[in-house]
């Protein structure tokens, strides 16, 4: 790396003097016409000036070569040879030496070492724990600084150093630096952000500046460069709770310039889109690059109020379309990391998410069930796979315009089917049988009234297409058809139209859900699809078999209305309890039938109304029996289908009363049928239909007990148990519905926090569910992880992808929100962390000081001992000391 840097510095210093002067002249020439924008476009003058400069340089080169030939006749230059030599020299200057070229595979190798956010190797590149450590992170940053020419002076002259030859190497350097930081690796982030070189300023300049002349020839290379630079800055700020790195990035960045770059990229993307270039698919398309820079600006805006105000779509008149577009296609969520800290993620919404239909959104929103902990996350996550498949199918559906048009109007076809079913049943109910209803001529004023109603309703529909106008037109048209061609042909036409409409509805249903693409097994198990198929079959039977089949279509009201569904659920939800209670009732009826057969057999006398023989079979065509029931009716004249147990005899009038009564307990089976039929349907039980006994009879008391027991045990207890279960279930369903609606209104779908938790807070509940914990943003993030290349994952995306693979939902925030944590406990936690860090540093300092004090104490003790030894050696006891001499 160092050799490559020296080589770059040696070659760059040779070329910067000429290129720098040329660049300055070019900037002067470009700025001059920009002041006269009203007179001539800037680009035309710049091209003219460039052509003139090229001509002047060619003329100067020729003159210089002629002067050389005159000055040194020994050198023989051919005409044009000087120009060719100069061109070859310029070309050689652009070519990189092998020392610099070898850096590209080296940096690629370092990038792959850190792939998949390998934390150990990221730290190893920074520090090898040897006696001699090489910080390759800082060296890579210095290499970027060197190759972009920052060591020569200005950041605004990037175009002089970046060309087609070295742009791939610069991109590789940016990608390697990005991989060093993602994960996140906070130490490497700090290395890059706090390095003494101009690395951060170079990366910022790559985003903000126009890199010319490369940008005029190969704009795709410049866009890729800006894209990688923006990803690197995002990686430096990834998963950080402090603002140090963001403030370092903002230090030399003007917010207005950053917003202008975003708008410029959006406008460039619009031009490419209008020219027919499909630039949206590429990773480095203008709009995608602008989107990445917008996300960078969004992250930086948390630490800069000026930038925050500029990014609001309504804040600036110019460029609102760009900011509005990027704001609409950018989402943010909050996740919980492994250390239980919360982190906010800002990401671009995948384009495939636009294909999610409103019907699916409403279905998921209202039908997602809560788990035992009261959270909807589990059910929502399980449905995300089906929603992703539906998005893919809807994307394919756009390529089939007819099927897409049918699918888009599915609710409209459903409404037409139901309205036709109601209309046809009204016609059948009022006018069946149709023998007397024929088409004919109306009186002139009635006919004119009908035609006028048709024309008026048609004019209303054309001028103001409203549902009521359409209904009026349909009603007047049907009345006109009834009186023109007859009721039965009109009903046939309506039935045929209903069949065609239901076929279109089935097409739209399959188009919306992609039923056939899921296989035949899934199609057979799809209850909703089978229901609509049965509906179509009934429509066909009503059209070709009999009109009475249309009555079954009215049950569609139960399918359409949730209240009626709850009525059905009130019976089916606790069906086992109801069935067991009914079995108990049958057992009791069986026991009471045995007792009645043994002791009260003669009391089972019921009055009957016999059917006369001459009216046993109606004439053909008089009623429905002639069409459906004639084969089962007793025919008196032939004796066919007549019961042998009731022979008809000529009886005198005195015996008619006796013949109107029958014994209904001659067999145990008949006794069971009588008790079951008459006993359960009578308000007072079976006693209401049996013979009234006299008090003189010996079994009078037993009969009273028999009647009372049946009344209390069967009528009051068992039947009311069944009714109570049904009524309680219906009440529970209604309360559950109200509770569900209340939860949807007052509880966050993702975290489960209630509305009152956000009272008197900086963030309202509405802002929380729309911006912080938007359920559809979480779905978009799951889709993003599915569609994005795993090698392009950021640190949080890798974490979430691994959690999704393990079906672990701990990354969803439950009963937590950053806006509440930051205002309540986050401050306290930060204070505790700071105090703990200060305490640890103080403890280390105290330990060092105590060690130093003990060392000083030992040194002082040693010095004191040495002094004592010296004193003893300097004044032995036998020496005579002269008192006049100083000691």
């Amino acid at each position: 790396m160092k050799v490559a840097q020296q080589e770059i510095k040696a070659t760059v210093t040779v070329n910067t003097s000429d290129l720098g002067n040329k660049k300055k002249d070019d900037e002067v020439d470009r700025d001059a016409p920009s002041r006269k924008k009203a007179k001539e476009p800037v680009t035309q003058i710049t091209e003219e000036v460039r052509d003139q400069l090229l001509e002047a340089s060619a003329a100067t080169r020729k003159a210089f070569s002629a002067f050389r030939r005159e000055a040194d006749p020994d050198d023989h230059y051919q005409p044009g040879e000087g120009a060719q030599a100069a061109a070859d020299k310029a070309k050689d200057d652009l070519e990189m030496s092998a020392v610099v070229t070898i850096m590209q595979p080296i940096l690629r190798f370092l990038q792959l070492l850190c792939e998949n956010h390998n934390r150990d190797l990221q730290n190893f590149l920074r520090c090898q724990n040897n006696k001699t450590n090489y910080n390759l992170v800082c060296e890579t940053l210095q290499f970027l600084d060197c190759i972009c020419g920052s060591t020569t002076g200005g950041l605004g002259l990037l175009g002089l150093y970046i060309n087609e030859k070295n742009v791939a190497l610069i991109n590789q350097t940016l990608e390697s630096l990005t991989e060093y930081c993602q994960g996140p690796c906070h130490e490497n982030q700090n290395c890059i952000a706090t390095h003494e070189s101009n690395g951060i300023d170079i990366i910022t300049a790559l985003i903000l500046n126009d890199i010319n002349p490369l940008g005029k020839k190969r704009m795709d290379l410049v866009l890729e460069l800006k894209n990688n630079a923006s990803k690197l800055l995002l990686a430096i700020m990834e998963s950080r709770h402090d603002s140090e790195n963001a403030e370092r990035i903002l230090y030399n960045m003007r917010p207005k310039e950053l917003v202008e770059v975003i708008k410029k990229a959006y406008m460039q993307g619009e031009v490419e889109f209008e020219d027919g270039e499909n630039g949206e698919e590429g990773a480095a398309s203008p709009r995608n690059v602008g989107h990445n820079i917008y996300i960078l600006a969004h992250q930086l805006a948390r630490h800069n109020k000026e930038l925050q105000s500029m990014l609001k779509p309504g804040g600036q008149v110019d460029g609102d379309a760009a900011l509005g577009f990027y704001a609409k296609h950018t989402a943010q969520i909050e996740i919980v990391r492994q250390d239980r800290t919360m982190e906010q993620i800002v990401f671009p919404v995948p384009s495939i998410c636009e294909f999610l239909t409103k019907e699916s959104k409403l279905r998921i929103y209202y039908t997602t069930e809560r788990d035992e902990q009261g959270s909807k996350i589990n059910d929502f996550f399980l449905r995300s796979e089906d929603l992703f498949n539906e998005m893919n199918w809807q994307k394919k559906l756009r390529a089939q315009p007819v099927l897409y048009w049918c699918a888009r109007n599915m609710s409209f076809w459903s409404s037409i089917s139901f309205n036709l079913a109601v209309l046809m049943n009204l016609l059948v109910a009022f006018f069946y049988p149709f023998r007397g209803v024929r088409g004919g001529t109306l009186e002139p004023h009635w006919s004119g009234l009908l035609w006028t109603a048709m024309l008026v309703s048609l004019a209303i529909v054309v001028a103001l297409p409203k549902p009521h106008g359409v209904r009026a037109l349909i009603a007047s048209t049907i009345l006109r058809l009834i009186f023109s061609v007859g009721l039965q042909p009109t009903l046939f036409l309506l039935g045929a139209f209903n069949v065609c409409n239901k076929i279109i509805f089935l097409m739209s249903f399959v188009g919306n859900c992609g039923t056939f693409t899921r296989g035949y097994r899934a199609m057979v198990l799809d209850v909703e699809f089978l229901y609509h198929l049965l509906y179509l079959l009934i429509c066909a039977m009503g059209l070709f078999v009999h009109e009475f089949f249309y009555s079954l279509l009215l049950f569609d009201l139960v399918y359409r209305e949730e209240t009626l569904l709850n009525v059905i659920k009130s019976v089916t939800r606790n069906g086992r309890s109801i069935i067991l209670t009914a079995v108990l009732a049958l057992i009791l009826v069986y026991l009471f039938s045995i007792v009645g057969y043994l002791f009260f057999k003669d009391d089972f006398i019921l009055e009957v109304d016999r059917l006369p023989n001459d009216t046993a079979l109606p004439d053909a065509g008089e009623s429905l029996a002639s069409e459906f029931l004639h084969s089962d009716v007793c025919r008196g004249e032939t004796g066919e289908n007549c019961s042998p147990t009731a022979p008809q005899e000529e009886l005198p009038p005195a015996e008619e009363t006796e013949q109107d009564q029958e014994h209904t307990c001659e067999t145990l089976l008949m006794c069971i049928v009588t008790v079951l039929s008459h006993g359960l349907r009578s308000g007072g039980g079976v006693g209401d239909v049996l013979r009234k006994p006299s008090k003189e009879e010996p079994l009078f008391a037993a009969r009273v007990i028999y009647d009372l027991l049946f009344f209390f045990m069967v009528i009051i207890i068992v039947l009311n148990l069944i009714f109570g279960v049904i009524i309680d279930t219906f009440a529970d369903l209604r309360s559950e519905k109200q509770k569900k609606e209340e939860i949807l209104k007052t509880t966050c779908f993702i975290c489960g926090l209630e509305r009152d938790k956000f009272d008197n807070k900086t963030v309202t509940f509405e802002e929380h569910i729309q911006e912080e914990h938007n359920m559809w943003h979480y779905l978009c993030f799951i889709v993003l992880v599915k569609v994005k290349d795993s090698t392009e994952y950021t640190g949080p995306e890798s974490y979430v992808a691994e959690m999704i693979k393990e079906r672990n939902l701990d990354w969803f925030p439950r009963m937590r929100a950053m806006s509440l944590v930051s205002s309540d406990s986050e401050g306290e936690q930060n204070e505790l962390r700071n105090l703990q860090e200060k305490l640890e540093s103080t403890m280390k300092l105290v330990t060092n000081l105590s060690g130093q004090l003990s060392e000083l104490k030992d040194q002082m003790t040693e010095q004191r001992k040495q002094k004592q030894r010296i004193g003893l050696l300097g004044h032995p006891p036998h020496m005579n000391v002269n008192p006049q001499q100083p000691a």
Side-chain angles (χ1 to χ4, degrees):
M1 284 187 179
K2 291 184 180 298
V3 172
Q5 290 178 42
Q6 292 173 1
E7 178 69 19
I8 291 171
K9 290 177 182 177
T11 55
V12 166
T13 51
V14 175
N15 303 324
T16 49
S17 58
D18 296 336
L19 294 172
N21 294 331
K22 185 177 179 181
K23 180 71 179 176
K24 291 177 182 178
D25 295 337
D26 190 40
E27 286 180 357
V28 170
D29 292 332
R30 190 184 304 158
D31 291 338
S34 66
R35 302 187 191 95
K36 304 176 181 178
K37 194 179 294 183
K39 295 183 180 180
E40 286 182 307
V42 177
T43 54
Q44 292 180 1
I45 295 177
T46 307
E47 294 294 334
E48 291 174 3
V49 170
R50 183 177 292 106
D51 294 340
Q52 293 174 6
L53 287 174
L54 289 173
E55 291 175 3
S57 63
T60 306
R61 194 177 299 113
K62 290 179 181 178
F64 180 70
S65 61
F67 173 76
R68 288 280 304 271
R69 282 197 299 272
E70 292 176 1
D72 193 359
D74 294 335
D75 293 339
H76 301 287
Y77 288 94
Q78 296 296 328
E81 189 177 344
Q84 183 65 32
D88 291 341
K89 184 178 182 301
K91 185 177 180 181
D92 291 339
D93 288 339
L94 294 177
E95 292 288 348
M96 295 185 296
S97 62
V99 177
V100 181
T101 308
I102 197 64
M103 281 302 301
Q104 189 164 349
I106 290 174
L107 289 171
R108 175 65 175 162
F109 168 69
L110 295 178
Q111 176 193 353
L112 293 176
L113 284 179
C114 303
E115 193 64 58
N116 201 20
H117 315 307
N118 191 322
R119 189 67 176 272
D120 295 333
L121 287 175
Q122 284 175 334
N123 290 324
F124 185 76
L125 292 183
R126 187 185 68 258
C127 179
Q128 295 81 38
N129 293 324
N130 296 329
K131 291 183 178 179
T132 305
N133 285 316
Y134 297 97
N135 191 337
L136 297 183
V137 177
C138 293
E139 289 294 335
T140 307
L141 187 65
Q142 285 180 338
F143 179 76
L144 175 69
D145 193 12
C146 183
I147 197 172
C148 291
S150 173
T151 53
T152 60
L155 295 174
L157 305 178
L158 288 173
L160 302 180
Y161 308 100
I162 301 175
N163 49 61
E164 292 186 43
K165 302 296 181 182
N166 65 2
V167 68
L169 179 56
I170 296 173
N171 275 320
Q172 182 59 60
T173 311
L174 293 171
E175 290 173 2
S176 298
L177 286 169
T178 302
E179 203 63 48
Y180 295 167
C181 298
Q182 286 182 341
C185 182
H186 293 304
E187 294 82 2
N188 288 354
Q189 290 175 342
N190 293 334
C191 268
I192 296 175
T194 59
H195 196 260
E196 58 188 6
S197 69
N198 295 327
I200 290 289
D201 298 330
I202 282 286
I203 300 165
T204 305
L206 287 174
I207 296 175
L208 298 180
N209 295 343
D210 293 330
I211 302 173
N212 290 323
L214 179 64
K216 296 177 179 177
K217 299 177 183 177
R218 294 291 304 275
M219 192 62 195
D220 56 330
L221 297 178
V222 174
L223 288 172
E224 187 179 1
L225 206 59
K226 291 179 179 291
N227 194 39
N228 288 328
S230 60
K231 286 181 180 178
L232 176 54
L233 291 183
L234 284 170
I236 293 172
M237 296 188 296
E238 183 181 290
S239 303
R240 295 189 70 92
H241 298 286
D242 56 15
S243 60
E244 294 179 6
N245 290 358
E247 289 173 355
R248 174 65 185 89
I249 294 170
L250 285 165
Y251 182 72
N252 284 330
M253 180 185 288
R254 295 184 183 87
K256 189 175 181 181
E257 292 181 359
L258 188 62
V259 175
E260 289 300 324
V261 171
I262 295 170
K263 295 176 183 177
K264 186 175 180 181
Y266 175 79
M267 296 303 295
Q268 188 176 353
E270 270 197 342
V271 171
E272 287 195 3
F273 184 76
E274 290 173 0
D275 291 344
E277 299 179 12
N278 193 6
E280 294 297 320
E281 296 296 328
S285 65
R287 282 197 175 177
N288 285 348
V289 174
H291 206 162
N292 279 339
I293 300 174
Y294 176 83
I295 292 174
L296 171 65
H298 192 283
Q299 296 283 60
L300 292 171
R302 300 179 193 172
H303 313 282
N304 189 295
K305 292 184 178 179
E306 182 185 357
L307 182 57
Q308 191 173 5
S309 63
M310 285 183 176
L311 285 180
K312 293 180 180 177
Q316 306 231 351
V317 178
D318 188 22
D320 267 356
L323 297 178
F325 173 82
Y326 288 130
K328 181 181 177 183
H329 293 84
T330 304
Q332 68 177 31
I333 61 171
E334 295 176 357
I335 66 169
V336 179
R337 297 301 291 257
Q338 286 179 335
D339 57 356
R340 309 313 299 164
T341 59
M342 294 188 69
E343 179 183 346
Q344 188 180 73
I345 302 176
V346 182
F347 61 96
V349 177
S351 59
I352 196 172
C353 292
E354 297 176 1
F355 299 106
L356 186 63
T357 59
K358 291 182 180 179
E359 292 81 6
S360 298
K361 284 186 175 182
L362 290 174
R363 185 181 72 251
I364 294 297
Y365 182 70
Y366 285 109
T367 61
T368 304
E369 299 294 337
R370 305 176 78 190
D371 58 13
E372 296 174 355
Q373 287 79 29
S375 173
K376 297 183 179 181
I377 296 302
N378 190 29
D379 193 19
F380 177 68
F381 178 75
L382 292 176
R383 296 189 185 197
S384 62
E385 186 67 31
D386 293 334
L387 291 173
F388 178 59
N389 294 333
E390 183 180 335
M391 293 176 198
N392 287 321
W393 168 251
Q394 288 289 333
K395 185 177 181 180
K396 296 177 183 177
L397 192 64
R398 296 296 193 275
Q400 304 174 14
V402 176
L403 189 58
Y404 172 62
W405 180 78
C406 292
R408 191 176 54 184
N409 299 299
M410 189 174 73
S411 58
F412 178 66
W413 311 127
S414 177
S415 299
I416 288 179
S417 292
F418 180 71
N419 289 325
L420 282 174
V422 172
L423 180 61
M424 289 187 296
N425 277 284
L426 286 175
L427 294 176
V428 171
F430 280 104
F431 300 108
Y432 190 87
F434 304 124
R435 291 193 315 273
V437 184
R438 295 279 185 264
T441 58
L442 283 173
E443 296 182 9
H445 61 279
W446 288 111
S447 180
L449 186 62
L450 275 177
W451 282 113
T452 305
M454 281 184 62
L455 293 174
V456 169
S457 56
L458 180 62
I460 292 174
V461 169
V462 172
L464 198 66
K466 295 288 183 180
H468 297 295
V470 175
R471 292 192 186 101
L473 176 62
I474 293 172
S476 57
T477 305
I478 291 173
L479 285 174
R480 183 67 262 179
L481 281 173
I482 290 173
F483 288 104
S484 297
V485 299
L487 182 60
Q488 204 158 3
T490 303
L491 191 63
F492 183 83
L493 288 174
L494 292 175
F497 182 73
N498 196 21
V499 170
C500 296
N501 179 75
K502 197 61 187 178
I503 292 173
I504 295 174
F505 176 84
L506 266 178
M507 288 175 57
S508 64
F509 179 81
V510 171
N512 250 341
C513 304
T515 308
F516 291 124
T517 61
R518 293 180 290 176
Y520 290 104
R521 178 179 176 83
M523 186 172 64
V524 171
L525 296 177
D526 191 347
V527 179
E528 199 171 1
F529 175 73
L530 294 177
Y531 167 78
H532 293 300
L533 201 61
L534 179 63
Y535 191 101
L536 176 61
L537 181 63
I538 294 172
C539 289
M541 291 176 69
L543 181 64
F544 298 111
V545 180
H546 198 276
E547 293 86 353
F548 284 175
F549 281 105
Y550 289 138
S551 60
L552 298 175
L553 301 180
L554 295 177
F555 281 111
D556 189 42
L557 184 65
V558 178
Y559 173 78
R560 297 166 63 90
E561 292 294 332
E562 187 179 359
T563 304
L564 293 179
L565 278 175
N566 286 338
V567 173
I568 303 298
K569 286 180 182 177
S570 65
V571 179
T572 58
R573 188 174 189 178
N574 289 324
R576 188 170 183 274
S577 301
I578 294 173
I579 290 174
L580 291 176
T581 310
V583 170
L584 176 62
L586 286 175
I587 294 171
L588 291 174
V589 166
Y590 178 61
L591 294 176
F592 275 99
S593 300
I594 292 174
V595 173
Y597 180 76
L598 293 175
F599 300 104
F600 309 110
K601 184 176 181 180
D602 296 333
D603 292 346
F604 283 79
I605 300 175
L606 301 181
E607 294 184 359
V608 293
D609 297 326
R610 300 186 186 281
L611 191 65
N613 284 336
D614 55 350
T615 60
L617 180 62
D619 293 336
E622 289 187 0
S623 70
L624 179 64
S626 64
E627 302 181 33
F628 290 100
L629 303 178
H630 62 275
S631 60
D632 297 329
V633 176
C634 175
R635 297 177 180 270
E637 62 272 11
T638 62
E640 185 181 354
N641 292 330
C642 294
S643 174
T645 60
Q648 299 294 325
E649 298 178 0
E650 293 291 335
L651 295 174
E655 297 181 6
E656 287 183 2
T657 305
E658 294 180 4
Q659 288 298 321
D660 289 342
Q661 295 179 348
E662 281 184 354
H663 287 277
T664 55
C665 197
E666 294 176 352
T667 63
L668 180 59
L669 178 61
M670 284 303 300
C671 205
I672 293 172
V673 171
T674 303
V675 174
L676 187 63
S677 173
H678 296 278
L680 295 181
R681 292 189 292 113
S682 300
V686 73
D688 287 357
V689 296
L690 298 185
R691 181 183 64 84
K692 307 297 185 289
S694 172
K695 64 180 179 178
E696 305 296 335
E697 297 180 10
L699 294 177
F700 176 76
R703 172 64 191 279
V704 170
I705 294 172
Y706 178 80
D707 293 348
L708 288 176
L709 282 176
F710 188 91
F711 177 71
F712 281 113
M713 294 181 68
V714 178
I715 303 299
I716 291 183
I717 296 176
V718 178
L719 290 185
N720 283 326
L721 276 176
I722 296 175
F723 299 150
V725 169
I726 294 173
I727 293 170
D728 289 345
T729 305
F730 185 75
D732 291 342
L733 288 170
R734 185 173 57 186
S735 62
E736 283 179 12
K737 181 184 176 184
Q738 293 175 350
K739 185 178 179 181
K740 187 182 290 186
E741 292 175 352
E742 186 69 19
I743 288 172
L744 288 175
K745 291 179 181 177
T746 61
T747 307
C748 175
F749 190 96
I750 298 298
C751 66
L753 288 171
E754 296 181 353
R755 182 184 291 269
D756 57 0
K757 301 290 184 183
F758 296 89
D759 292 343
N760 302 321
K761 303 293 181 183
T762 55
V763 176
T764 64
F765 179 73
E766 285 73 19
E767 291 173 345
H768 171 72
I769 60 176
Q770 286 296 326
E771 297 174 7
E772 295 179 343
H773 288 178
N774 190 315
M775 59 182 291
W776 305 118
H777 289 177
Y778 281 86
L779 177 63
C780 292
F781 190 71
I782 294 173
V783 172
L784 176 70
V785 171
K786 290 179 181 292
V787 301
K788 193 173 183 179
D789 186 4
S790 59
T791 59
E792 298 293 327
Y793 284 161
T794 62
E797 288 168 358
S798 294
Y799 166 70
V800 173
E802 188 65 27
M803 299 291 275
I804 290 175
K805 187 178 179 181
E806 297 173 358
R807 293 191 171 274
N808 189 339
L809 304 180
D810 290 342
W811 61 279
F812 280 97
R814 297 197 182 189
M815 306 305 293
R816 299 175 67 184
M818 288 185 69
S819 56
L820 298 183
V821 171
S822 59
S823 59
D824 295 338
S825 59
E826 187 68 21
E828 298 176 1
Q829 291 178 0
N830 288 335
E831 289 180 6
L832 287 174
R833 289 196 195 100
N834 293 332
L835 288 173
Q836 189 174 2
E837 290 174 0
K838 290 179 180 179
L839 183 62
E840 290 175 356
S841 61
T842 306
M843 289 294 293
K844 290 178 181 178
L845 185 62
V846 168
T847 305
N848 293 332
L849 289 174
S850 62
Q852 292 176 3
L853 285 173
S854 61
E855 290 177 2
L856 285 172
K857 186 177 180 181
D858 294 340
Q859 291 177 3
M860 293 294 293
T861 306
E862 188 68 27
Q863 289 178 2
R864 192 177 296 112
K865 289 180 180 179
Q866 288 178 359
K867 287 181 180 180
Q868 289 176 357
R869 291 194 194 102
I870 291 171
L872 291 173
L873 291 173
H875 302 282
H878 63 276
M879 289 181 65
N880 294 324
V881 181
N882 188 359
Q884 295 179 355
Q885 294 178 352

